[in-house]
Amino acid sequence: MKYISTRGQAPALNFEEALLTGLASDGGLYVPESLPTFSAEEIGSMAGLNYSQLAHKIITPFVGECIPEDDLKAILRETYAEFRHDAVAPMIQLGHNQWVLELFHGPTLAFKDFALQLLGRLLDYVLERKHQKVVIMGATSGDTGSAAIEGCKRCKNIDIFILHPHDRVSDVQRKQMTTVVGSNIHNLAVQGNFDDCQAMVKTSFNKRDFLPKDRRLVAVNSINWARIMAQIVYYFYAAVALGAPGRSVAFSVPTGNFGDIFAGYLASQMGLPIERLIIATNRNDVLHRVMSNGSYGRQPLEHSLSPSMDITVSSNFERLLFDLYERDGASIAQLMADFDQGDISFSQQAMAKASALFSSQCVNDAETCAQMAATWKDCEYMLDPHSAIGVKAAFDAKVPASVPVVTLATAHPAKFPGAVKAAKLDTEPSLPHHLRDLFDRPERFEVLPNDLSAVQAFMLKNVNA
Ligand SMILES: *Cc1c(COP(=O)(O)O)cnc(C)c1O
């Protein structure tokens, strides 16, 4: 399997190289050159598989010759053994044809564990074989940082540096990062805001010479192809449980950077009968505006009750655009260059293709709280604010009555106690057992000034030999 850039000018890579490469050298994102497909018969035969067996079936064609079958199987078994629920991604029912796929049973209580638990292990595996070590650098306003740290904590060949804005992430989210112990884990509390942190990461990736020559800098945000790949699996898992391939299924996905829902798009291209993919956004609604009128434009960031979806530009949308524009890298390069100058519009053909599979809805904070309260009242089921946005969009979606709608529950409500309070459920979410003592654990982080050279000097000093 080869991976190509959405902007058409970077070299094609194999899986191992794609794993170690973030953004392509032409500024594009890597996507598979062609997708594997599964026949109805093959999808039918997935029915009896457990999660890691299914993951092996779906992921094998993407990895190709890069990892021997038995090793990949072992990696996947270990990855999903970390999850606290035997089903890994259990489903519960909220209404006649309404389902919730719980993706928060991993170590950090958000769906990002599905990808980052695997990514850490895959990286360590290929690095061990190549006798190489790398440095991971990332900025986080919440869920990504803790999931990346948990995913890499046992990796011998990785030093991980996660920047977060000092005093500006929630207590639960900070504790989930700073209480993980390991000499290769480095939490940097930067005296600035999230944008400052992200700008430092971006600059460091553009000019990597502050690190020793033998250390590559690796990205763990959702531009990394392996993260998208891992997320395809649970679309198959849920749909097969609900009767695919005999019956098609719709998915409602709380969306920020378009990574999670893009995996659903790939599942449909691979043969899974998906009736509809519902893009559920908070009031940072760049994707809802695109779907409504084809125009793609930046608007100021608004802080919402669903902070993990507070974004102004959806980086993975470029991967979909590449297909909508007949995989013409030159068109995408031109569109993105225009977007650097201001708002852009997409062609009618492109939007018609998108509308055949996708619809969208924007849900504000008041509606989010109302949905959390309604679901609590009707089912005594507590939604986190991100998942509530998905559920609201699922209930409002116009899909045929015979089609089950599955909302991806992307986080556990205990990660967002403030939102639960705002929704007035008359109860408080409690942390699962393995995190009950989270607030008693010692924290380890370094407070650094909002200054790139200080951050880079700290990193250089702390890269393990
Ligand atoms: C990251 C995140 C999202 C958004 O996922 P994307 O892949 O960026 O669309 C939604 N909900 C939660 C809880 C998240 O952590």
Side-chain angles (χ1 to χ4, degrees):
M1 172 80 68
K2 285 263 176 237
Y3 293 87
I4 56 173
S5 164
T6 51
R7 300 192 191 176
Q9 296 296 314
L13 303 179
N14 68 10
F15 176 75
E16 181 178 298
E17 280 299 312
L19 184 69
L20 292 165
T21 307
L23 219 51
S25 55
D26 58 4
L29 281 77
Y30 276 102
V31 288
E33 189 172 43
S34 64
L35 284 178
T37 55
F38 294 102
S39 67
E41 204 181 350
E42 286 170 308
I43 294 171
S45 74
M46 294 172 184
L49 302 180
N50 70 26
Y51 195 89
S52 73
Q53 289 167 334
L54 178 65
H56 182 254
K57 261 223 153 45
I58 306 287
I59 286 174
T60 292
F62 291 109
V63 171
E65 307 293 291
C66 282
I67 301 179
E69 178 172 352
D70 285 344
D71 292 356
L72 182 60
K73 272 192 177 145
I75 290 171
L76 290 165
R77 227 182 3 251
E78 265 178 45
T79 297
Y80 296 108
E82 280 301 322
F83 284 60
R84 284 165 298 118
H85 196 295
D86 271 354
V88 181
M91 264 195 289
I92 60 128
Q93 195 164 9
L94 289 187
H96 168 56
N97 248 339
Q98 293 287 341
W99 301 79
V100 165
L101 180 66
E102 294 187 335
L103 299 177
F104 50 71
H105 295 283
T108 73
L109 314 182
F111 83 96
K112 292 186 170 73
D113 289 325
F114 276 82
L116 285 162
Q117 284 291 319
L118 179 60
L119 181 61
R121 286 177 173 82
L122 288 173
L123 282 171
D124 214 36
Y125 177 89
V126 305
L127 292 169
E128 187 73 25
R129 202 169 58 182
K130 287 163 84 83
H131 305 294
Q132 285 181 6
K133 291 181 191 291
V134 299
V135 171
I136 284 175
M137 183 183 191
T140 191
S141 55
D143 297 336
T144 306
S146 57
I149 286 171
E150 278 289 342
C152 296
K153 70 180 179 189
R154 290 191 203 88
C155 300
K156 295 193 291 289
N157 302 300
I158 300 173
D159 275 299
I160 178 163
F161 295 86
I162 298 292
L163 284 59
H164 71 263
H166 187 40
D167 286 336
R168 295 192 200 196
V169 298
S170 79
D171 286 349
V172 181
Q173 289 180 322
R174 189 193 66 251
K175 291 264 182 185
Q176 283 189 306
M177 296 191 280
T178 58
T179 59
V180 183
V181 203
S183 62
N184 63 332
I185 296 166
H186 313 278
N187 279 289
L188 283 58
V190 174
Q191 290 167 320
N193 61 26
F194 173 65
D195 290 338
D196 298 326
C197 296
Q198 204 162 34
M200 288 195 212
V201 173
K202 214 169 173 180
T203 311
S204 302
F205 271 87
N206 285 334
K207 205 165 176 307
R208 307 170 184 210
D209 55 5
F210 66 99
L211 286 175
K213 283 219 165 19
D214 61 344
R215 295 300 159 106
R216 249 164 119 138
L217 197 57
V218 170
V220 290
N221 52 13
S222 57
I223 60 172
N224 192 306
W225 159 254
R227 280 189 58 179
I228 307 282
M229 174 187 81
Q231 292 168 187
I232 299 170
V233 178
Y234 47 70
Y235 286 90
F236 277 87
Y237 191 65
V240 167
L242 290 172
R247 181 153 88 141
S248 60
V249 176
F251 288 92
S252 176
V253 187
T255 309
N257 250 326
F258 207 73
D260 204 5
I261 196 166
F262 183 70
Y265 164 77
L266 294 178
S268 85
Q269 300 300 106
M270 290 163 69
L272 191 67
I274 295 183
E275 175 80 19
R276 187 141 290 277
L277 288 169
I278 302 157
I279 299 167
T281 75
N282 66 23
R283 66 203 142 112
N284 295 287
D285 62 346
V286 55
L287 291 167
H288 178 60
R289 282 180 279 124
V290 169
M291 293 307 298
S292 307
N293 59 22
S295 76
Y296 195 54
R298 291 185 177 85
Q299 281 190 357
L301 186 84
E302 294 203 41
H303 291 284
S304 76
L305 288 176
S306 43
S308 302
M309 289 152 58
D310 288 346
I311 53 96
T312 54
V313 175
S314 271
S315 44
N316 277 295
F317 193 64
E318 180 169 339
R319 287 185 156 123
L320 178 67
L321 277 180
F322 185 57
D323 279 7
L324 298 180
Y325 278 82
E326 309 293 336
R327 306 203 120 208
D328 175 15
S331 295
I332 302 303
Q334 186 60 53
L335 277 170
M336 291 301 144
D338 293 346
F339 186 57
D340 284 340
Q341 308 300 315
D343 295 0
I344 53 174
S345 289
F346 300 130
S347 73
Q348 273 180 0
Q349 295 97 298
M351 289 317 300
K353 270 206 236 169
S355 307
L357 183 62
F358 292 94
S359 60
S360 69
Q361 185 165 344
C362 158
V363 177
N364 66 27
D365 279 354
E367 292 167 319
T368 305
C369 288
Q371 186 62 58
M372 289 167 74
T375 302
W376 179 249
K377 181 167 158 282
D378 295 346
C379 310
E380 275 188 45
Y381 186 73
M382 200 186 290
L383 290 165
D384 101 286
H386 306 80
S387 311
I389 288 173
V391 168
K392 163 82 174 144
F395 273 103
D396 290 352
K398 291 177 186 61
V399 296
S402 61
V403 174
V405 187
V406 180
T407 297
L408 305 196
T410 50
H412 190 289
K415 281 195 105 159
F416 302 97
V420 175
K421 199 166 196 169
K424 301 199 176 70
L425 305 192
D426 299 326
T427 182
E428 280 173 16
S430 49
L431 285 164
H433 279 296
H434 77 289
L435 290 172
R436 284 276 158 85
D437 65 341
L438 182 66
F439 283 86
D440 305 327
R441 295 180 196 169
E443 291 187 74
R444 203 171 65 98
F445 61 93
E446 191 78 22
V447 180
L448 289 173
N450 184 7
D451 169 42
L452 181 64
S453 55
V455 166
Q456 292 187 338
F458 178 86
M459 290 176 66
L460 185 58
K461 197 172 103 210
N462 287 283
V463 169
N464 283 327

